[in-house]
Amino acid sequence: MVKNTHMSARGPSQRQLRVGELIRRTLSDVLNRGDIHDPDLNRMSITVGEVRTSPDLKVATAFVLPLGGHGAQDALDALRRNRHELRRAVSKQLTLKFAPEIRYVIDETFDRMDETRRLLSEDKVRRDVETPDEDNA
C-alpha cells in the first residue's frame, strides 16, 4: 500500500485547522488590545479573517484586512514591521512547542464575494439561472 505523505493533497489536518483558529483568535486579541508598541499599528482596526498553518505548524499565514479595506498596504507594512513583537505576544498565550513564524497577506475573500455577487446580478446570468432548463420541461 502506498501512503500519501502530502497533506496538501487532502487539505489541512484537524490539528492544522485547530492551531490556525487558535492563532487567529490570539492575534486578533493582541491587535484589539493594542499590545504592540507601535502607534501606527494601534490606530488601525485590523480584521484577521483566517490563519493557515504549514503541516509542521512552524509557519502561519494570517489573512488580514483593515476595517473598510482602506489602507491595506499600510496595515500590511505595519504588521510586517512588527512581526517579531507580534510573534512573541501571540506565542506567550499559546501552548505550542514552537512559536510559528507569522506571515501576513491581504485577505481578498470579500473582494471575491463582491465580484461573485456582481456576476450573479448580471441580466444574462440571472436569465440563465431563472429560466427553466428546456430538457426538464
Side-chain angles (χ1 to χ4, degrees):
M1 181 168 109
V2 176
K3 199 173 179 184
N4 185 359
T5 58
H6 295 288
M7 287 293 188
S8 61
R10 293 181 290 179
S13 69
Q14 285 298 312
R15 185 164 188 230
Q16 283 175 272
L17 294 172
R18 246 188 346 265
V19 171
E21 179 59 19
L22 182 62
I23 293 170
R24 187 195 70 76
R25 278 189 266 137
T26 306
L27 182 59
S28 291
D29 289 345
V30 167
L31 291 171
N32 284 335
R33 285 192 311 261
D35 291 349
I36 305 306
H37 299 93
D38 183 341
D40 294 334
L41 184 61
N42 290 331
R43 273 193 289 272
M44 298 178 193
S45 180
I46 299 174
T47 300
V48 183
E50 181 183 3
V51 174
R52 295 181 191 161
T53 60
S54 62
D56 64 1
L57 305 178
K58 291 186 179 183
V59 178
T61 303
F63 293 85
V64 297
L65 191 67
L67 188 64
H70 304 294
Q73 191 57 49
D74 293 338
L76 205 54
D77 292 342
L79 289 166
R80 289 176 177 165
R81 189 173 55 245
N82 293 286
R83 70 184 179 276
H84 299 296
E85 191 175 352
L86 283 163
R87 181 181 186 180
R88 271 192 302 276
V90 168
S91 67
K92 256 199 264 186
Q93 298 179 33
L94 299 177
T95 56
L96 297 173
K97 188 173 185 177
F98 299 101
E101 173 192 339
I102 304 174
R103 297 176 182 168
Y104 301 94
V105 295
I106 297 298
D107 189 352
E108 297 176 346
T109 305
F110 298 109
D111 292 339
R112 280 186 260 143
M113 287 182 354
D114 289 343
E115 178 63 14
T116 301
R117 278 192 207 102
R118 186 191 65 74
L119 288 171
L120 289 173
S121 69
E122 287 182 358
D123 290 337
K124 181 179 174 182
V125 174
R126 243 191 5 252
R127 185 176 56 241
D128 289 345
V129 172
E130 292 172 359
T131 305
D133 192 1
E134 292 176 15
D135 295 337
N136 293 333

PDB file of all heavy atoms in Angstrom, residues 8 25-26 28 30 34-35 45 51 74 78 80 83-84 91 94 109-110 118-119 123-124 130:
ATOM      1  N   SER A   8      -1.227  18.469   1.755  1.00  0.00           N
ATOM      2  CA  SER A   8      -1.912  19.458   0.935  1.00  0.00           C
ATOM      3  C   SER A   8      -2.808  18.805  -0.100  1.00  0.00           C
ATOM      4  O   SER A   8      -3.772  19.403  -0.542  1.00  0.00           O
ATOM      5  CB  SER A   8      -0.896  20.376   0.260  1.00  0.00           C
ATOM      6  OG  SER A   8      -0.058  19.619  -0.584  1.00  0.00           O
ATOM      7  N   ARG A  25      -7.535  33.756  16.681  1.00  0.00           N
ATOM      8  CA  ARG A  25      -8.179  34.405  17.831  1.00  0.00           C
ATOM      9  C   ARG A  25      -7.167  35.156  18.683  1.00  0.00           C
ATOM     10  O   ARG A  25      -7.421  36.278  19.123  1.00  0.00           O
ATOM     11  CB  ARG A  25      -8.915  33.380  18.678  1.00  0.00           C
ATOM     12  CG  ARG A  25     -10.285  33.053  18.098  1.00  0.00           C
ATOM     13  CD  ARG A  25     -11.099  32.213  19.051  1.00  0.00           C
ATOM     14  NE  ARG A  25     -10.891  30.808  18.690  1.00  0.00           N
ATOM     15  CZ  ARG A  25     -10.686  29.838  19.549  1.00  0.00           C
ATOM     16  NH1 ARG A  25     -10.654  30.073  20.822  1.00  0.00           N
ATOM     17  NH2 ARG A  25     -10.510  28.609  19.125  1.00  0.00           N
ATOM     18  N   THR A  26      -6.018  34.543  18.923  1.00  0.00           N
ATOM     19  CA  THR A  26      -4.994  35.170  19.758  1.00  0.00           C
ATOM     20  C   THR A  26      -4.437  36.424  19.091  1.00  0.00           C
ATOM     21  O   THR A  26      -4.290  37.471  19.745  1.00  0.00           O
ATOM     22  CB  THR A  26      -3.859  34.164  20.050  1.00  0.00           C
ATOM     23  OG1 THR A  26      -4.420  32.977  20.612  1.00  0.00           O
ATOM     24  CG2 THR A  26      -2.847  34.749  21.006  1.00  0.00           C
ATOM     25  N   SER A  28      -5.930  38.285  16.860  1.00  0.00           N
ATOM     26  CA  SER A  28      -6.995  39.297  16.894  1.00  0.00           C
ATOM     27  C   SER A  28      -7.045  39.994  18.249  1.00  0.00           C
ATOM     28  O   SER A  28      -7.171  41.221  18.321  1.00  0.00           O
ATOM     29  CB  SER A  28      -8.352  38.654  16.615  1.00  0.00           C
ATOM     30  OG  SER A  28      -8.429  38.231  15.287  1.00  0.00           O
ATOM     31  N   VAL A  30      -4.587  40.298  20.461  1.00  0.00           N
ATOM     32  CA  VAL A  30      -3.374  41.119  20.616  1.00  0.00           C
ATOM     33  C   VAL A  30      -3.538  42.439  19.871  1.00  0.00           C
ATOM     34  O   VAL A  30      -3.227  43.515  20.405  1.00  0.00           O
ATOM     35  CB  VAL A  30      -2.130  40.349  20.124  1.00  0.00           C
ATOM     36  CG1 VAL A  30      -0.927  41.273  19.966  1.00  0.00           C
ATOM     37  CG2 VAL A  30      -1.800  39.201  21.069  1.00  0.00           C
ATOM     38  N   GLY A  34      -4.122  46.363  21.555  1.00  0.00           N
ATOM     39  CA  GLY A  34      -3.046  47.322  21.325  1.00  0.00           C
ATOM     40  C   GLY A  34      -1.800  46.975  22.110  1.00  0.00           C
ATOM     41  O   GLY A  34      -1.125  47.864  22.625  1.00  0.00           O
ATOM     42  N   ASP A  35      -1.499  45.676  22.219  1.00  0.00           N
ATOM     43  CA  ASP A  35      -0.336  45.220  22.986  1.00  0.00           C
ATOM     44  C   ASP A  35       1.000  45.551  22.328  1.00  0.00           C
ATOM     45  O   ASP A  35       2.036  45.464  22.972  1.00  0.00           O
ATOM     46  CB  ASP A  35      -0.399  43.699  23.195  1.00  0.00           C
ATOM     47  CG  ASP A  35      -1.522  43.292  24.134  1.00  0.00           C
ATOM     48  OD1 ASP A  35      -2.109  44.187  24.780  1.00  0.00           O
ATOM     49  OD2 ASP A  35      -1.804  42.090  24.218  1.00  0.00           O
ATOM     50  N   SER A  45      -7.698  49.404  12.829  1.00  0.00           N
ATOM     51  CA  SER A  45      -8.580  48.315  13.221  1.00  0.00           C
ATOM     52  C   SER A  45      -8.429  47.234  12.147  1.00  0.00           C
ATOM     53  O   SER A  45      -8.868  47.416  11.010  1.00  0.00           O
ATOM     54  CB  SER A  45     -10.022  48.808  13.303  1.00  0.00           C
ATOM     55  OG  SER A  45     -10.853  47.745  13.689  1.00  0.00           O
ATOM     56  N   VAL A  51      -6.283  32.083   9.480  1.00  0.00           N
ATOM     57  CA  VAL A  51      -4.867  31.760   9.616  1.00  0.00           C
ATOM     58  C   VAL A  51      -4.694  30.315   9.157  1.00  0.00           C
ATOM     59  O   VAL A  51      -5.377  29.423   9.637  1.00  0.00           O
ATOM     60  CB  VAL A  51      -4.358  31.923  11.065  1.00  0.00           C
ATOM     61  CG1 VAL A  51      -2.918  31.426  11.189  1.00  0.00           C
ATOM     62  CG2 VAL A  51      -4.441  33.379  11.503  1.00  0.00           C
ATOM     63  N   ASP A  74      -0.694  49.896   3.994  1.00  0.00           N
ATOM     64  CA  ASP A  74      -0.133  50.477   5.220  1.00  0.00           C
ATOM     65  C   ASP A  74      -0.256  49.493   6.389  1.00  0.00           C
ATOM     66  O   ASP A  74       0.665  49.346   7.192  1.00  0.00           O
ATOM     67  CB  ASP A  74      -0.842  51.788   5.581  1.00  0.00           C
ATOM     68  CG  ASP A  74      -0.560  52.890   4.572  1.00  0.00           C
ATOM     69  OD1 ASP A  74       0.468  52.806   3.862  1.00  0.00           O
ATOM     70  OD2 ASP A  74      -1.383  53.824   4.485  1.00  0.00           O
ATOM     71  N   ALA A  78       2.790  47.738   8.474  1.00  0.00           N
ATOM     72  CA  ALA A  78       2.893  47.851   9.936  1.00  0.00           C
ATOM     73  C   ALA A  78       2.975  46.467  10.578  1.00  0.00           C
ATOM     74  O   ALA A  78       3.755  46.259  11.514  1.00  0.00           O
ATOM     75  CB  ALA A  78       1.698  48.623  10.490  1.00  0.00           C
ATOM     76  N   ARG A  80       4.089  43.693   9.185  1.00  0.00           N
ATOM     77  CA  ARG A  80       5.392  43.099   8.841  1.00  0.00           C
ATOM     78  C   ARG A  80       6.526  43.755   9.621  1.00  0.00           C
ATOM     79  O   ARG A  80       7.471  43.099  10.028  1.00  0.00           O
ATOM     80  CB  ARG A  80       5.628  43.198   7.329  1.00  0.00           C
ATOM     81  CG  ARG A  80       4.731  42.254   6.557  1.00  0.00           C
ATOM     82  CD  ARG A  80       4.880  42.405   5.068  1.00  0.00           C
ATOM     83  NE  ARG A  80       4.042  41.432   4.371  1.00  0.00           N
ATOM     84  CZ  ARG A  80       3.746  41.509   3.088  1.00  0.00           C
ATOM     85  NH1 ARG A  80       4.219  42.501   2.345  1.00  0.00           N
ATOM     86  NH2 ARG A  80       2.981  40.593   2.525  1.00  0.00           N
ATOM     87  N   ARG A  83       6.497  42.210  13.107  1.00  0.00           N
ATOM     88  CA  ARG A  83       6.273  40.747  13.095  1.00  0.00           C
ATOM     89  C   ARG A  83       6.940  40.032  14.265  1.00  0.00           C
ATOM     90  O   ARG A  83       6.369  39.085  14.804  1.00  0.00           O
ATOM     91  CB  ARG A  83       6.680  40.145  11.761  1.00  0.00           C
ATOM     92  CG  ARG A  83       8.163  40.117  11.485  1.00  0.00           C
ATOM     93  CD  ARG A  83       8.463  39.573  10.084  1.00  0.00           C
ATOM     94  NE  ARG A  83       9.879  39.581   9.832  1.00  0.00           N
ATOM     95  CZ  ARG A  83      10.563  40.624   9.407  1.00  0.00           C
ATOM     96  NH1 ARG A  83       9.936  41.768   9.173  1.00  0.00           N
ATOM     97  NH2 ARG A  83      11.870  40.547   9.221  1.00  0.00           N
ATOM     98  N   HIS A  84       8.109  40.485  14.694  1.00  0.00           N
ATOM     99  CA  HIS A  84       8.800  39.813  15.803  1.00  0.00           C
ATOM    100  C   HIS A  84       8.049  40.028  17.127  1.00  0.00           C
ATOM    101  O   HIS A  84       7.866  39.084  17.905  1.00  0.00           O
ATOM    102  CB  HIS A  84      10.240  40.291  15.922  1.00  0.00           C
ATOM    103  CG  HIS A  84      11.060  40.009  14.699  1.00  0.00           C
ATOM    104  ND1 HIS A  84      11.339  38.731  14.275  1.00  0.00           N
ATOM    105  CD2 HIS A  84      11.631  40.835  13.787  1.00  0.00           C
ATOM    106  CE1 HIS A  84      12.060  38.777  13.167  1.00  0.00           C
ATOM    107  NE2 HIS A  84      12.240  40.047  12.839  1.00  0.00           N
ATOM    108  N   SER A  91       2.800  33.981  20.818  1.00  0.00           N
ATOM    109  CA  SER A  91       3.351  32.723  21.345  1.00  0.00           C
ATOM    110  C   SER A  91       3.286  32.654  22.869  1.00  0.00           C
ATOM    111  O   SER A  91       3.220  31.575  23.441  1.00  0.00           O
ATOM    112  CB  SER A  91       4.782  32.520  20.867  1.00  0.00           C
ATOM    113  OG  SER A  91       5.639  33.486  21.422  1.00  0.00           O
ATOM    114  N   LEU A  94       0.072  30.931  23.626  1.00  0.00           N
ATOM    115  CA  LEU A  94      -0.135  29.604  23.049  1.00  0.00           C
ATOM    116  C   LEU A  94       0.692  28.564  23.788  1.00  0.00           C
ATOM    117  O   LEU A  94       1.718  28.876  24.373  1.00  0.00           O
ATOM    118  CB  LEU A  94       0.267  29.595  21.564  1.00  0.00           C
ATOM    119  CG  LEU A  94      -0.496  30.543  20.643  1.00  0.00           C
ATOM    120  CD1 LEU A  94       0.071  30.471  19.233  1.00  0.00           C
ATOM    121  CD2 LEU A  94      -1.970  30.206  20.626  1.00  0.00           C
ATOM    122  N   THR A 109     -10.959  37.713   0.269  1.00  0.00           N
ATOM    123  CA  THR A 109     -12.218  36.976   0.267  1.00  0.00           C
ATOM    124  C   THR A 109     -13.400  37.891  -0.006  1.00  0.00           C
ATOM    125  O   THR A 109     -14.280  37.562  -0.799  1.00  0.00           O
ATOM    126  CB  THR A 109     -12.422  36.273   1.628  1.00  0.00           C
ATOM    127  OG1 THR A 109     -11.290  35.466   1.899  1.00  0.00           O
ATOM    128  CG2 THR A 109     -13.667  35.417   1.629  1.00  0.00           C
ATOM    129  N   PHE A 110     -13.420  39.058   0.639  1.00  0.00           N
ATOM    130  CA  PHE A 110     -14.548  39.968   0.486  1.00  0.00           C
ATOM    131  C   PHE A 110     -14.621  40.517  -0.936  1.00  0.00           C
ATOM    132  O   PHE A 110     -15.707  40.671  -1.481  1.00  0.00           O
ATOM    133  CB  PHE A 110     -14.468  41.107   1.504  1.00  0.00           C
ATOM    134  CG  PHE A 110     -14.533  40.615   2.922  1.00  0.00           C
ATOM    135  CD1 PHE A 110     -13.417  40.645   3.727  1.00  0.00           C
ATOM    136  CD2 PHE A 110     -15.714  40.094   3.430  1.00  0.00           C
ATOM    137  CE1 PHE A 110     -13.469  40.177   5.022  1.00  0.00           C
ATOM    138  CE2 PHE A 110     -15.782  39.623   4.723  1.00  0.00           C
ATOM    139  CZ  PHE A 110     -14.662  39.662   5.526  1.00  0.00           C
ATOM    140  N   ARG A 118     -21.702  40.479  -8.082  1.00  0.00           N
ATOM    141  CA  ARG A 118     -21.857  41.312  -9.275  1.00  0.00           C
ATOM    142  C   ARG A 118     -22.145  40.442 -10.491  1.00  0.00           C
ATOM    143  O   ARG A 118     -23.046  40.732 -11.282  1.00  0.00           O
ATOM    144  CB  ARG A 118     -20.594  42.148  -9.517  1.00  0.00           C
ATOM    145  CG  ARG A 118     -20.742  43.156 -10.662  1.00  0.00           C
ATOM    146  CD  ARG A 118     -19.418  43.777 -11.062  1.00  0.00           C
ATOM    147  NE  ARG A 118     -18.484  42.825 -11.624  1.00  0.00           N
ATOM    148  CZ  ARG A 118     -18.577  42.297 -12.852  1.00  0.00           C
ATOM    149  NH1 ARG A 118     -19.591  42.579 -13.626  1.00  0.00           N
ATOM    150  NH2 ARG A 118     -17.656  41.458 -13.298  1.00  0.00           N
ATOM    151  N   LEU A 119     -21.402  39.342 -10.640  1.00  0.00           N
ATOM    152  CA  LEU A 119     -21.618  38.452 -11.776  1.00  0.00           C
ATOM    153  C   LEU A 119     -23.011  37.818 -11.735  1.00  0.00           C
ATOM    154  O   LEU A 119     -23.679  37.706 -12.761  1.00  0.00           O
ATOM    155  CB  LEU A 119     -20.548  37.353 -11.796  1.00  0.00           C
ATOM    156  CG  LEU A 119     -19.147  37.796 -12.189  1.00  0.00           C
ATOM    157  CD1 LEU A 119     -18.149  36.671 -11.957  1.00  0.00           C
ATOM    158  CD2 LEU A 119     -19.117  38.239 -13.642  1.00  0.00           C
ATOM    159  N   ASP A 123     -27.802  40.597 -15.984  1.00  0.00           N
ATOM    160  CA  ASP A 123     -29.029  40.127 -16.633  1.00  0.00           C
ATOM    161  C   ASP A 123     -28.852  38.779 -17.305  1.00  0.00           C
ATOM    162  O   ASP A 123     -29.702  37.896 -17.174  1.00  0.00           O
ATOM    163  CB  ASP A 123     -29.506  41.154 -17.674  1.00  0.00           C
ATOM    164  CG  ASP A 123     -30.033  42.422 -17.022  1.00  0.00           C
ATOM    165  OD1 ASP A 123     -30.438  42.342 -15.845  1.00  0.00           O
ATOM    166  OD2 ASP A 123     -30.029  43.471 -17.686  1.00  0.00           O
ATOM    167  N   LYS A 124     -27.774  38.612 -18.022  1.00  0.00           N
ATOM    168  CA  LYS A 124     -27.534  37.362 -18.770  1.00  0.00           C
ATOM    169  C   LYS A 124     -27.470  36.156 -17.819  1.00  0.00           C
ATOM    170  O   LYS A 124     -28.067  35.118 -18.070  1.00  0.00           O
ATOM    171  CB  LYS A 124     -26.232  37.495 -19.552  1.00  0.00           C
ATOM    172  CG  LYS A 124     -25.873  36.315 -20.389  1.00  0.00           C
ATOM    173  CD  LYS A 124     -24.579  36.598 -21.134  1.00  0.00           C
ATOM    174  CE  LYS A 124     -24.099  35.387 -21.873  1.00  0.00           C
ATOM    175  NZ  LYS A 124     -22.828  35.642 -22.544  1.00  0.00           N
ATOM    176  N   GLU A 130     -32.709  31.775 -13.832  1.00  0.00           N
ATOM    177  CA  GLU A 130     -34.140  31.779 -13.595  1.00  0.00           C
ATOM    178  C   GLU A 130     -34.936  30.999 -14.624  1.00  0.00           C
ATOM    179  O   GLU A 130     -36.029  30.533 -14.359  1.00  0.00           O
ATOM    180  CB  GLU A 130     -34.643  33.219 -13.544  1.00  0.00           C
ATOM    181  CG  GLU A 130     -34.144  33.971 -12.323  1.00  0.00           C
ATOM    182  CD  GLU A 130     -34.482  35.445 -12.361  1.00  0.00           C
ATOM    183  OE1 GLU A 130     -35.101  35.914 -13.343  1.00  0.00           O
ATOM    184  OE2 GLU A 130     -34.111  36.134 -11.394  1.00  0.00           O
TER     185      GLU A 130
END
